[in-house]
Amino acid sequence: MSSGTPGRDAPERRPALTRGRIVRAAIGLIEREGADALSMRRVAAELGVAVMSLYNHVPNKGALLEGVAEHVVSGMELQDDPSAPWQERVRALVRAFRTVAHEYPRCMTIVLTRRFDTTVGLRPAERALALAEAAGFDGVTAVRIMRALMAYALGAQMREIGFGKMLHHLDTSPAENFAKLDAATFPHVIALGPELARHDPEADFEFGLDLLVGALEALPRARSAR
Amino acid sequence: MSSGTPGRDAPERRPALTRGRIVRAAIGLIEREGADALSMRRVAAELGVAVMSLYNHVPNKGALLEGVAEHVVSGMELQDDPSAPWQERVRALVRAFRTVAHEYPRCMTIVLTRRFDTTVGLRPAERALALAEAAGFDGVTAVRIMRALMAYALGAQMREIGFGKMLHHLDTSPAENFAKLDAATFPHVIALGPELARHDPEADFEFGLDLLVGALEALPRARSAR
DNA sequence: ACCTGAACACCGTTCAAGT
DNA sequence: ACCTGAACACCGTTCAAGT
């Protein structure tokens, strides 16, 4: 009758309800059923508690979403090789966001939408600023570089998972859908149809990243790179 | 007793209910009160009709949101000067997205989140591909350039309106908040605090755009630019 | 300090009924 | 073809009551 867990005394069946457990349950629910399926009631059911119990650890649903965004962002693994050239370290930083975005694909809309003000969001910013300085850029430029890199990291993901689906009807069955396009207004889209239908998000991502890093290399610097 | 409108016969007080009127009412509501305030019931009330009347023109709320996204994107003004150098035409294209994003700031999360499959979304894609070809790039490269430009356009906006607020607590009262940061883990953020607190989204946007366009100029081309 | 059930004011959407 | 009210199954959150 003994289960795998050390059941002696069995003081409490479930671990204590905490903000962390609530946030993780929410993330699991979102990844399994999508962001629309998230409700306080569903999360409570998942954890086997009454709805109102959640409110002892989270002030409201907005705060829960904030917690989800924070948790995802804090999952960014910002490993760094200080001996590598700054170009490669920049690439690694931007890729780190892409990696976490792939880990929590359905949570991304929340991350991209909800604002939160924990310091976890500052970690990638700090890293980007540090790298820009290592590359020899002055402070003003470093801030702008950080913002451009963040814009690309966010946008590349956004385009890949959501807005890219602007071309949604081209994806499913290209041949049929391209036929419906007006040849006069969309000549290039039609001509490049096969290429547009092909999906290599990795290559697309790296292409844009190369553009940016290359542009940074060409940018005049205050000091020479370390 | 005659009002400004030509009231003779006064055949119907309100214009007919259409998908267009519903979408525009939704957009107005979102811009006035935020995306969370949008509900079928609120839209119906706004238009002075019963909730269920909406369902004669829109299958469900998701489709309404799709309509909102479409309407906003179709508002992109893609004027073009074919005699201008392609670099400037590319800039104008990317700026067009930024402009519409500023026109409907609170609708942007929906545009960036909802997928829709009308051809309006293909207009900027077609333009980007045309410009890339005019610049002398081959088809495969043109598609990748288009995607990189879209990623930046989306991300720059995203960062400015939402995720940028990751640094939210730095914005409000910099001095006080920077003091709370751990000096050992965020040295650059702290050192560049004043610069981070300064807001010139226009300059930030143009900086990143310059990086990308400059990178395109440096990219090897199949043919010389027209 | 934490948990809970009942209640309230909202949702989106189905259905059956009207014109 | 379009509109409508009632009803259903859900929401988030307040409140008062428990331990």
PDB file of all heavy atoms in Angstrom, chain A residues 22-44:
ATOM      1  N   ILE A  22       1.256  28.307  -8.265  1.00  0.00           N
ATOM      2  CA  ILE A  22       0.130  28.850  -9.032  1.00  0.00           C
ATOM      3  C   ILE A  22       0.601  29.285 -10.417  1.00  0.00           C
ATOM      4  O   ILE A  22      -0.026  28.965 -11.428  1.00  0.00           O
ATOM      5  CB  ILE A  22      -0.520  30.033  -8.282  1.00  0.00           C
ATOM      6  CG1 ILE A  22      -1.190  29.531  -7.000  1.00  0.00           C
ATOM      7  CG2 ILE A  22      -1.511  30.760  -9.170  1.00  0.00           C
ATOM      8  CD1 ILE A  22      -1.643  30.621  -6.061  1.00  0.00           C
ATOM      9  N   VAL A  23       1.720  30.006 -10.441  1.00  0.00           N
ATOM     10  CA  VAL A  23       2.253  30.477 -11.728  1.00  0.00           C
ATOM     11  C   VAL A  23       2.609  29.299 -12.620  1.00  0.00           C
ATOM     12  O   VAL A  23       2.277  29.287 -13.816  1.00  0.00           O
ATOM     13  CB  VAL A  23       3.491  31.377 -11.514  1.00  0.00           C
ATOM     14  CG1 VAL A  23       4.234  31.612 -12.820  1.00  0.00           C
ATOM     15  CG2 VAL A  23       3.087  32.699 -10.886  1.00  0.00           C
ATOM     16  N   ARG A  24       3.253  28.286 -12.047  1.00  0.00           N
ATOM     17  CA  ARG A  24       3.637  27.144 -12.869  1.00  0.00           C
ATOM     18  C   ARG A  24       2.424  26.387 -13.396  1.00  0.00           C
ATOM     19  O   ARG A  24       2.412  25.910 -14.529  1.00  0.00           O
ATOM     20  CB  ARG A  24       4.571  26.221 -12.076  1.00  0.00           C
ATOM     21  CG  ARG A  24       6.002  26.756 -11.988  1.00  0.00           C
ATOM     22  CD  ARG A  24       6.972  25.691 -11.479  1.00  0.00           C
ATOM     23  NE  ARG A  24       6.605  25.199 -10.160  1.00  0.00           N
ATOM     24  CZ  ARG A  24       6.969  25.760  -9.009  1.00  0.00           C
ATOM     25  NH1 ARG A  24       7.719  26.845  -9.024  1.00  0.00           N
ATOM     26  NH2 ARG A  24       6.590  25.252  -7.857  1.00  0.00           N
ATOM     27  N   ALA A  25       1.393  26.297 -12.566  1.00  0.00           N
ATOM     28  CA  ALA A  25       0.166  25.646 -13.028  1.00  0.00           C
ATOM     29  C   ALA A  25      -0.434  26.431 -14.189  1.00  0.00           C
ATOM     30  O   ALA A  25      -0.920  25.849 -15.171  1.00  0.00           O
ATOM     31  CB  ALA A  25      -0.829  25.539 -11.878  1.00  0.00           C
ATOM     32  N   ALA A  26      -0.400  27.746 -14.076  1.00  0.00           N
ATOM     33  CA  ALA A  26      -0.938  28.594 -15.145  1.00  0.00           C
ATOM     34  C   ALA A  26      -0.161  28.385 -16.437  1.00  0.00           C
ATOM     35  O   ALA A  26      -0.742  28.244 -17.517  1.00  0.00           O
ATOM     36  CB  ALA A  26      -0.887  30.062 -14.721  1.00  0.00           C
ATOM     37  N   ILE A  27       1.160  28.343 -16.313  1.00  0.00           N
ATOM     38  CA  ILE A  27       1.995  28.137 -17.497  1.00  0.00           C
ATOM     39  C   ILE A  27       1.691  26.795 -18.147  1.00  0.00           C
ATOM     40  O   ILE A  27       1.525  26.697 -19.369  1.00  0.00           O
ATOM     41  CB  ILE A  27       3.492  28.226 -17.125  1.00  0.00           C
ATOM     42  CG1 ILE A  27       3.841  29.665 -16.758  1.00  0.00           C
ATOM     43  CG2 ILE A  27       4.376  27.738 -18.268  1.00  0.00           C
ATOM     44  CD1 ILE A  27       5.262  29.874 -16.295  1.00  0.00           C
ATOM     45  N   GLY A  28       1.567  25.769 -17.316  1.00  0.00           N
ATOM     46  CA  GLY A  28       1.242  24.451 -17.852  1.00  0.00           C
ATOM     47  C   GLY A  28      -0.081  24.468 -18.600  1.00  0.00           C
ATOM     48  O   GLY A  28      -0.200  23.931 -19.703  1.00  0.00           O
ATOM     49  N   LEU A  29      -1.061  25.105 -18.001  1.00  0.00           N
ATOM     50  CA  LEU A  29      -2.387  25.194 -18.624  1.00  0.00           C
ATOM     51  C   LEU A  29      -2.314  25.912 -19.962  1.00  0.00           C
ATOM     52  O   LEU A  29      -2.889  25.467 -20.962  1.00  0.00           O
ATOM     53  CB  LEU A  29      -3.325  25.938 -17.670  1.00  0.00           C
ATOM     54  CG  LEU A  29      -4.817  25.967 -18.004  1.00  0.00           C
ATOM     55  CD1 LEU A  29      -5.369  24.568 -18.186  1.00  0.00           C
ATOM     56  CD2 LEU A  29      -5.569  26.695 -16.903  1.00  0.00           C
ATOM     57  N   ILE A  30      -1.574  27.032 -19.979  1.00  0.00           N
ATOM     58  CA  ILE A  30      -1.458  27.806 -21.219  1.00  0.00           C
ATOM     59  C   ILE A  30      -0.769  26.988 -22.305  1.00  0.00           C
ATOM     60  O   ILE A  30      -1.226  26.939 -23.443  1.00  0.00           O
ATOM     61  CB  ILE A  30      -0.666  29.108 -20.967  1.00  0.00           C
ATOM     62  CG1 ILE A  30      -1.474  30.040 -20.069  1.00  0.00           C
ATOM     63  CG2 ILE A  30      -0.319  29.800 -22.280  1.00  0.00           C
ATOM     64  CD1 ILE A  30      -0.689  31.214 -19.533  1.00  0.00           C
ATOM     65  N   GLU A  31       0.312  26.334 -21.939  1.00  0.00           N
ATOM     66  CA  GLU A  31       1.038  25.563 -22.946  1.00  0.00           C
ATOM     67  C   GLU A  31       0.219  24.382 -23.456  1.00  0.00           C
ATOM     68  O   GLU A  31       0.332  23.984 -24.605  1.00  0.00           O
ATOM     69  CB  GLU A  31       2.378  25.073 -22.389  1.00  0.00           C
ATOM     70  CG  GLU A  31       3.419  26.175 -22.204  1.00  0.00           C
ATOM     71  CD  GLU A  31       3.700  26.942 -23.487  1.00  0.00           C
ATOM     72  OE1 GLU A  31       3.600  26.364 -24.571  1.00  0.00           O
ATOM     73  OE2 GLU A  31       3.995  28.150 -23.396  1.00  0.00           O
ATOM     74  N   ARG A  32      -0.621  23.837 -22.576  1.00  0.00           N
ATOM     75  CA  ARG A  32      -1.424  22.694 -22.985  1.00  0.00           C
ATOM     76  C   ARG A  32      -2.653  23.093 -23.794  1.00  0.00           C
ATOM     77  O   ARG A  32      -3.028  22.432 -24.750  1.00  0.00           O
ATOM     78  CB  ARG A  32      -1.867  21.895 -21.749  1.00  0.00           C
ATOM     79  CG  ARG A  32      -1.348  20.468 -21.736  1.00  0.00           C
ATOM     80  CD  ARG A  32      -1.708  19.740 -20.459  1.00  0.00           C
ATOM     81  NE  ARG A  32      -1.269  20.440 -19.256  1.00  0.00           N
ATOM     82  CZ  ARG A  32      -2.086  20.977 -18.354  1.00  0.00           C
ATOM     83  NH1 ARG A  32      -3.386  20.876 -18.495  1.00  0.00           N
ATOM     84  NH2 ARG A  32      -1.597  21.602 -17.307  1.00  0.00           N
ATOM     85  N   GLU A  33      -3.306  24.211 -23.367  1.00  0.00           N
ATOM     86  CA  GLU A  33      -4.600  24.522 -23.987  1.00  0.00           C
ATOM     87  C   GLU A  33      -4.686  25.928 -24.564  1.00  0.00           C
ATOM     88  O   GLU A  33      -5.747  26.322 -25.056  1.00  0.00           O
ATOM     89  CB  GLU A  33      -5.730  24.331 -22.959  1.00  0.00           C
ATOM     90  CG  GLU A  33      -5.707  22.969 -22.285  1.00  0.00           C
ATOM     91  CD  GLU A  33      -6.992  22.706 -21.522  1.00  0.00           C
ATOM     92  OE1 GLU A  33      -8.043  23.231 -21.939  1.00  0.00           O
ATOM     93  OE2 GLU A  33      -6.954  21.988 -20.508  1.00  0.00           O
ATOM     94  N   GLY A  34      -3.619  26.679 -24.472  1.00  0.00           N
ATOM     95  CA  GLY A  34      -3.651  28.030 -25.037  1.00  0.00           C
ATOM     96  C   GLY A  34      -4.021  29.085 -24.019  1.00  0.00           C
ATOM     97  O   GLY A  34      -4.658  28.803 -23.004  1.00  0.00           O
ATOM     98  N   ALA A  35      -3.632  30.305 -24.312  1.00  0.00           N
ATOM     99  CA  ALA A  35      -3.813  31.404 -23.363  1.00  0.00           C
ATOM    100  C   ALA A  35      -5.289  31.686 -23.073  1.00  0.00           C
ATOM    101  O   ALA A  35      -5.644  32.122 -21.978  1.00  0.00           O
ATOM    102  CB  ALA A  35      -3.128  32.668 -23.881  1.00  0.00           C
ATOM    103  N   ASP A  36      -6.141  31.419 -24.038  1.00  0.00           N
ATOM    104  CA  ASP A  36      -7.570  31.686 -23.826  1.00  0.00           C
ATOM    105  C   ASP A  36      -8.170  30.751 -22.785  1.00  0.00           C
ATOM    106  O   ASP A  36      -9.177  31.084 -22.160  1.00  0.00           O
ATOM    107  CB  ASP A  36      -8.343  31.540 -25.146  1.00  0.00           C
ATOM    108  CG  ASP A  36      -8.086  32.704 -26.080  1.00  0.00           C
ATOM    109  OD1 ASP A  36      -7.575  33.743 -25.605  1.00  0.00           O
ATOM    110  OD2 ASP A  36      -8.390  32.589 -27.286  1.00  0.00           O
ATOM    111  N   ALA A  37      -7.567  29.594 -22.627  1.00  0.00           N
ATOM    112  CA  ALA A  37      -8.111  28.612 -21.699  1.00  0.00           C
ATOM    113  C   ALA A  37      -7.758  28.936 -20.250  1.00  0.00           C
ATOM    114  O   ALA A  37      -8.282  28.328 -19.326  1.00  0.00           O
ATOM    115  CB  ALA A  37      -7.610  27.212 -22.049  1.00  0.00           C
ATOM    116  N   LEU A  38      -6.871  29.889 -20.055  1.00  0.00           N
ATOM    117  CA  LEU A  38      -6.454  30.222 -18.694  1.00  0.00           C
ATOM    118  C   LEU A  38      -7.545  30.968 -17.940  1.00  0.00           C
ATOM    119  O   LEU A  38      -8.018  32.003 -18.384  1.00  0.00           O
ATOM    120  CB  LEU A  38      -5.200  31.097 -18.720  1.00  0.00           C
ATOM    121  CG  LEU A  38      -4.679  31.451 -17.322  1.00  0.00           C
ATOM    122  CD1 LEU A  38      -3.921  30.282 -16.730  1.00  0.00           C
ATOM    123  CD2 LEU A  38      -3.823  32.690 -17.358  1.00  0.00           C
ATOM    124  N   SER A  39      -7.948  30.399 -16.823  1.00  0.00           N
ATOM    125  CA  SER A  39      -8.872  31.116 -15.939  1.00  0.00           C
ATOM    126  C   SER A  39      -8.510  30.780 -14.503  1.00  0.00           C
ATOM    127  O   SER A  39      -7.905  29.739 -14.225  1.00  0.00           O
ATOM    128  CB  SER A  39     -10.326  30.726 -16.229  1.00  0.00           C
ATOM    129  OG  SER A  39     -10.622  29.459 -15.690  1.00  0.00           O
ATOM    130  N   MET A  40      -8.829  31.673 -13.619  1.00  0.00           N
ATOM    131  CA  MET A  40      -8.538  31.445 -12.211  1.00  0.00           C
ATOM    132  C   MET A  40      -9.178  30.132 -11.763  1.00  0.00           C
ATOM    133  O   MET A  40      -8.584  29.354 -11.011  1.00  0.00           O
ATOM    134  CB  MET A  40      -9.084  32.600 -11.378  1.00  0.00           C
ATOM    135  CG  MET A  40      -8.483  33.955 -11.720  1.00  0.00           C
ATOM    136  SD  MET A  40      -6.701  34.041 -11.475  1.00  0.00           S
ATOM    137  CE  MET A  40      -6.601  34.447  -9.729  1.00  0.00           C
ATOM    138  N   ARG A  41     -10.360  29.898 -12.248  1.00  0.00           N
ATOM    139  CA  ARG A  41     -11.083  28.689 -11.856  1.00  0.00           C
ATOM    140  C   ARG A  41     -10.391  27.424 -12.346  1.00  0.00           C
ATOM    141  O   ARG A  41     -10.308  26.415 -11.636  1.00  0.00           O
ATOM    142  CB  ARG A  41     -12.512  28.791 -12.368  1.00  0.00           C
ATOM    143  CG  ARG A  41     -13.304  29.880 -11.673  1.00  0.00           C
ATOM    144  CD  ARG A  41     -14.671  30.085 -12.310  1.00  0.00           C
ATOM    145  NE  ARG A  41     -15.751  30.056 -11.334  1.00  0.00           N
ATOM    146  CZ  ARG A  41     -16.358  31.130 -10.845  1.00  0.00           C
ATOM    147  NH1 ARG A  41     -16.000  32.337 -11.224  1.00  0.00           N
ATOM    148  NH2 ARG A  41     -17.328  31.004  -9.966  1.00  0.00           N
ATOM    149  N   ARG A  42      -9.888  27.479 -13.576  1.00  0.00           N
ATOM    150  CA  ARG A  42      -9.192  26.315 -14.119  1.00  0.00           C
ATOM    151  C   ARG A  42      -7.902  26.051 -13.346  1.00  0.00           C
ATOM    152  O   ARG A  42      -7.571  24.898 -13.040  1.00  0.00           O
ATOM    153  CB  ARG A  42      -8.867  26.541 -15.604  1.00  0.00           C
ATOM    154  CG  ARG A  42     -10.054  26.540 -16.555  1.00  0.00           C
ATOM    155  CD  ARG A  42     -10.664  25.157 -16.740  1.00  0.00           C
ATOM    156  NE  ARG A  42      -9.681  24.134 -17.089  1.00  0.00           N
ATOM    157  CZ  ARG A  42      -9.318  23.825 -18.316  1.00  0.00           C
ATOM    158  NH1 ARG A  42      -9.865  24.463 -19.325  1.00  0.00           N
ATOM    159  NH2 ARG A  42      -8.430  22.884 -18.543  1.00  0.00           N
ATOM    160  N   VAL A  43      -7.177  27.112 -13.051  1.00  0.00           N
ATOM    161  CA  VAL A  43      -5.932  26.964 -12.301  1.00  0.00           C
ATOM    162  C   VAL A  43      -6.223  26.363 -10.928  1.00  0.00           C
ATOM    163  O   VAL A  43      -5.536  25.434 -10.485  1.00  0.00           O
ATOM    164  CB  VAL A  43      -5.217  28.318 -12.148  1.00  0.00           C
ATOM    165  CG1 VAL A  43      -4.031  28.199 -11.209  1.00  0.00           C
ATOM    166  CG2 VAL A  43      -4.754  28.828 -13.511  1.00  0.00           C
ATOM    167  N   ALA A  44      -7.247  26.880 -10.283  1.00  0.00           N
ATOM    168  CA  ALA A  44      -7.608  26.369  -8.961  1.00  0.00           C
ATOM    169  C   ALA A  44      -7.957  24.886  -9.042  1.00  0.00           C
ATOM    170  O   ALA A  44      -7.484  24.078  -8.232  1.00  0.00           O
ATOM    171  CB  ALA A  44      -8.779  27.168  -8.396  1.00  0.00           C
TER     172      ALA A  44
END
